[in-house]
Amino acid sequence: MESEKSWEQKALVSELIQGLQIAIKLKENFNIPSSIHTRDSLLQSILSSYDKALLILKQNAPFSNSETMHQPTQTSSPQFPPKDHYEGALKDHQELKQNSKKRKKMPKWTEQVRVKIQNGVEEPLQDDYSWRKYGQKNILNAKYPRSYYRCTFQKSKGCFATKQVQRSEEDTNVFDISYRGSHVCSQGNYAVLPLKLADTEEKSQGCDSDVQFHHAQSSGERVTNDANTLTVETDNMTPHPFPSFGCMPQDNHHTFLPSFVLENDPFCSTISQTSFFSPNTLESNYLVSPSFHLHDEFDRVFDKPCPDSDAAGIVLADASTINSPNFDFNFSLDAVGIGANCPSMPGGSS
DNA sequence: TTGATTTGACCAAG
DNA sequence: CTTGGTCAAATCAA
């Protein structure tokens, strides 16, 4: 538990610093001739980094108390997430062992995933996490049954993450997926936000693996969107050996829907996440990469629409500092050449 | 043989 | 009482 906390703390710091570094790069870019595309890309990276940072903060805030997210930042060595959150999570898990029938208080978020169809067949793919189906149920007034999955390592590692999968009635190529609970196993780097493992061999090692993560942004990645979906084509990409929120798709074409919400938390940024479905129950494929929407936050903070709300959160940048074993949260904004008077920084000086 | 899936039963919440 | 979520025995598959 402590290591998880530490890891997320580092990830948060890393994302914030990364955003700053890219901002510096963008600033430098204004002084030299460069394409609008390049600047736009840098801008997207910044948005993505802070989006992710905000997401970490929100993920780690106590779920029933949204106020915690707005508490003033501690003046020295702030701890993200709050220690209480982990104690609470542990308590939740202990309660689950005592009463596993219902898990009302588990954090839950939903997403919609569009399956990839090739040659008329929905492609089964793998997930960042190893799930085990433990039930299926016909839901009242629902056309399609709902399937229930739990983390494969629930028993061996006490990982109580679960998910529910149900085919959408509006679009049969879309699945509604609900995730509950955090992964305490180490399949993904983040407890709740899975990452694409380097390959299936690593993946098969499950919770015990010291996995290597890939990350989605690199050359050759193209992001497009139409009215309803975002598509990331990742052919000819070279995997990066550092972890991030991103993913390295196993195929070269990921499609997902930008309509994910965190339940009971309207303030929270939206996220998407990979999942997989049992081929035997028509729940095939998973095609979602983590997507983080800073734009909602931007809109809220600045009380106006985010300038670029179309390609939200797709761009991911170098997060190599996550690997730093002893990253200190005490860093100076001045040290990287940017003033600390950003109006939207939670707890930032102004 | 072992691990995953299926499926009817059980149970708690509303 | 109804319904959704989970359990666990039976079954399947590698």
Side-chain angles (χ1 to χ4, degrees):
Chain A
M1 199 59 73
E2 195 66 25
S3 63
E4 175 186 342
K5 168 183 168 181
S6 170
W7 201 95
E8 295 191 9
Q9 192 175 103
K10 291 171 189 171
L12 173 65
V13 173
S14 174
E15 289 299 336
L16 290 171
I17 290 181
Q18 178 182 305
L20 289 172
Q21 290 172 339
I22 300 169
I24 293 169
K25 198 178 277 186
L26 178 63
K27 183 182 175 184
E28 292 170 348
N29 237 277
F30 280 112
N31 299 325
I32 60 174
S34 63
S35 68
I36 293 177
H37 179 79
T38 301
R39 291 173 186 170
D40 195 55
S41 175
L42 289 170
L43 187 60
Q44 279 299 319
S45 298
I46 297 168
L47 289 172
S48 178
S49 289
Y50 286 109
D51 200 359
K52 286 178 270 181
L54 285 166
L55 185 66
I56 296 171
L57 283 170
K58 289 171 182 177
Q59 282 288 336
N60 292 323
F63 297 97
S64 59
N65 182 10
S66 60
E67 290 178 4
T68 307
M69 289 188 293
H70 308 294
Q71 286 175 350
T73 305
Q74 297 172 26
T75 53
S76 64
S77 300
Q79 292 194 336
F80 296 103
K83 188 163 173 273
D84 290 348
H85 166 62
Y86 290 101
E87 290 173 347
L90 179 62
K91 191 182 173 185
D92 284 345
H93 285 180
Q94 290 170 342
E95 285 174 352
L96 276 171
K97 288 179 180 177
Q98 294 166 5
N99 179 16
S100 58
K101 288 286 181 182
K102 300 286 178 179
R103 50 185 66 200
K104 269 184 61 184
K105 293 181 180 179
M106 293 291 278
K108 178 183 176 181
W109 66 99
T110 64
E111 69 180 41
Q112 290 184 305
V113 179
R114 181 177 293 279
V115 299
K116 180 184 179 184
I117 300 176
Q118 222 166 38
N119 300 326
V121 178
E122 293 173 348
E123 272 199 354
L125 287 178
Q126 295 168 320
D127 196 355
D128 294 323
Y129 292 95
S130 181
W131 300 97
R132 179 170 183 165
K133 190 174 182 177
Y134 65 87
Q136 178 171 312
K137 232 179 141 63
N138 290 320
I139 303 303
L140 191 69
N141 297 325
K143 197 173 178 179
Y144 301 103
R146 180 177 298 164
S147 296
Y148 300 88
Y149 297 87
R150 68 162 65 98
C151 179
T152 302
F153 306 100
Q154 184 184 78
K155 287 184 178 176
S156 60
K157 298 290 182 180
C159 182
F160 285 86
T162 65
K163 73 171 181 180
Q164 301 173 4
V165 177
Q166 189 171 11
R167 187 184 288 272
S168 170
E169 293 185 36
E170 290 83 34
D171 185 346
T172 56
N173 292 328
V174 172
F175 286 87
D176 297 317
I177 305 174
S178 296
Y179 292 92
R180 280 186 183 174
S182 302
H183 281 275
V184 297
C185 63
S186 56
Q187 290 181 80
N189 248 348
Y190 275 85
V192 181
L193 309 169
L195 299 169
K196 184 66 68 181
L197 302 188
D199 55 42
T200 54
E201 188 177 11
E202 289 171 349
K203 179 181 179 296
S204 67
Q205 295 172 18
C207 285
D208 288 325
S209 65
D210 183 14
V211 296
Q212 179 183 28
F213 297 96
H214 291 163
H215 127 343
Q217 203 234 342
S218 183
S219 58
E221 178 170 316
R222 297 185 297 280
V223 179
T224 60
N225 67 23
D226 56 31
N228 299 311
T229 66
L230 287 171
T231 299
V232 183
E233 297 176 48
T234 54
D235 50 333
N236 301 322
M237 284 175 59
T238 302
H240 283 215
F242 41 74
S244 168
F245 274 93
C247 77
M248 171 54 65
Q250 291 181 330
D251 50 26
N252 61 2
H253 188 265
H254 284 193
T255 303
F256 49 92
L257 307 177
S259 58
F260 317 131
V261 298
L262 280 170
E263 286 192 357
N264 305 321
D265 190 2
F267 177 74
C268 196
S269 295
T270 56
I271 75 169
S272 68
Q273 185 182 30
T274 58
S275 61
F276 76 89
F277 315 109
S278 166
N280 296 333
T281 53
L282 294 177
E283 303 157 6
S284 64
N285 230 335
Y286 70 98
L287 292 167
V288 172
S289 64
S291 173
F292 308 92
H293 296 241
L294 178 63
H295 303 82
D296 294 340
E297 196 73 354
F298 185 98
D299 296 350
R300 188 191 66 80
V301 171
F302 294 102
D303 195 29
K304 62 182 180 181
C306 179
D308 180 4
S309 58
D310 287 334
I314 303 303
V315 178
L316 297 162
D318 191 336
S320 56
T321 50
I322 290 173
N323 279 338
S324 303
N326 295 307
F327 206 93
D328 191 346
F329 194 84
N330 292 316
F331 66 94
S332 167
L333 295 175
D334 294 331
V336 290
I338 292 182
N341 56 350
C342 175
S344 63
M345 283 287 282
S349 58
S350 59

